[in-house]
Amino acid sequence: MNTKEKYAVKRLVVNYKTLEEFKQFKEYGIQELSMLEDLQENIIENDSESPFYGIYFGDKLVARMSLYRIESAYDRYFSPPQDYFELWKLEVLPQFKGKGYGRALVQFAQSFNLPVKTNGRQQSSGFWEKMGFEAVTYNEERDRGENPYVYFPKGVTEQTH
């Protein structure tokens, strides 16, 4: 892929079509099922603020992630403490892997110039490191068996306590 090529990252609207598209992804689970329940109870409207972002190839959702903004009061990773993003469910459909979709989603998260925390799956550390993420010093109480990787914008370092 030409590295200059850009994919359009879009905030995904929470509706039945989006939830149907999510079923294609391996990590379809409790979060999506609870959104479906909310939809069925008409709590979530078609234009609600969704934490999901995705990239379409034509009209097919081929890559997605969820991005949650965490307030600085809950920051246990970054110094100085600040708002940051927690990136979850980064996933690209198998036939679209290796084409830059995952990179485009991560770069979108980084474009806000806030720190980003994620939990790398096994065998994914190389990808996160290429994207400028670093493994944090493991803290048993804070990390609880997770494998956190973080992205530090300029002037931000790891908390040390």
Side-chain angles (χ1 to χ4, degrees):
M1 175 189 126
N2 176 346
T3 53
K4 299 242 186 286
E5 190 174 339
K6 292 280 187 204
Y7 294 112
V9 176
K10 298 180 175 170
R11 175 174 252 157
L12 301 179
V13 173
V14 178
N15 59 24
Y16 287 108
K17 180 182 183 299
T18 303
L19 287 167
E20 201 54 42
E21 290 174 320
F22 281 179
K23 290 179 182 174
Q24 303 172 75
F25 292 88
K26 260 196 319 213
E27 295 243 330
Y28 180 80
I30 292 168
Q31 195 173 19
E32 290 86 349
L33 291 173
S34 81
M35 286 196 305
L36 182 61
E37 287 170 14
D38 288 348
L39 270 173
Q40 287 165 337
E41 294 169 14
N42 296 319
I43 293 168
I44 294 180
E45 298 300 326
N46 199 39
D47 61 354
S48 71
E49 291 274 306
S50 155
F52 284 98
Y53 293 84
I55 300 174
Y56 285 86
F57 182 82
D59 61 356
K60 180 183 179 70
L61 181 65
V62 299
R64 66 138 188 207
M65 70 175 170
S66 59
L67 199 59
Y68 294 95
R69 189 170 181 137
I70 310 296
E71 294 178 18
S72 61
Y74 303 102
D75 179 3
R76 298 186 305 158
Y77 291 94
F78 304 102
S79 180
Q82 59 198 281
D83 287 7
Y84 69 96
F85 282 112
E86 187 139 5
L87 190 157
W88 291 87
K89 292 186 180 248
L90 175 67
E91 199 168 355
V92 178
L93 292 180
Q95 63 271 38
F96 292 90
K97 287 188 175 179
K99 297 181 183 338
Y101 291 102
R103 180 185 316 113
L105 286 170
V106 173
Q107 287 172 337
F108 176 81
Q110 292 169 324
S111 74
F112 293 96
N113 206 31
L114 286 174
V116 181
K117 177 213 170 242
T118 191
N119 291 304
R121 291 193 205 133
Q122 288 187 331
Q123 327 284 295
S124 71
S125 58
F127 170 78
W128 292 111
E129 288 163 7
K130 272 195 270 184
M131 296 306 304
F133 283 68
E134 302 172 26
V136 291
T137 308
Y138 186 77
N139 174 321
E140 189 174 334
E141 185 181 312
R142 175 192 70 194
D143 301 328
R144 296 190 178 110
E146 292 180 341
N147 187 20
Y149 275 80
V150 293
Y151 166 74
F152 299 107
K154 190 174 176 121
V156 179
T157 58
E158 184 176 348
Q159 270 187 30
T160 55
H161 54 34

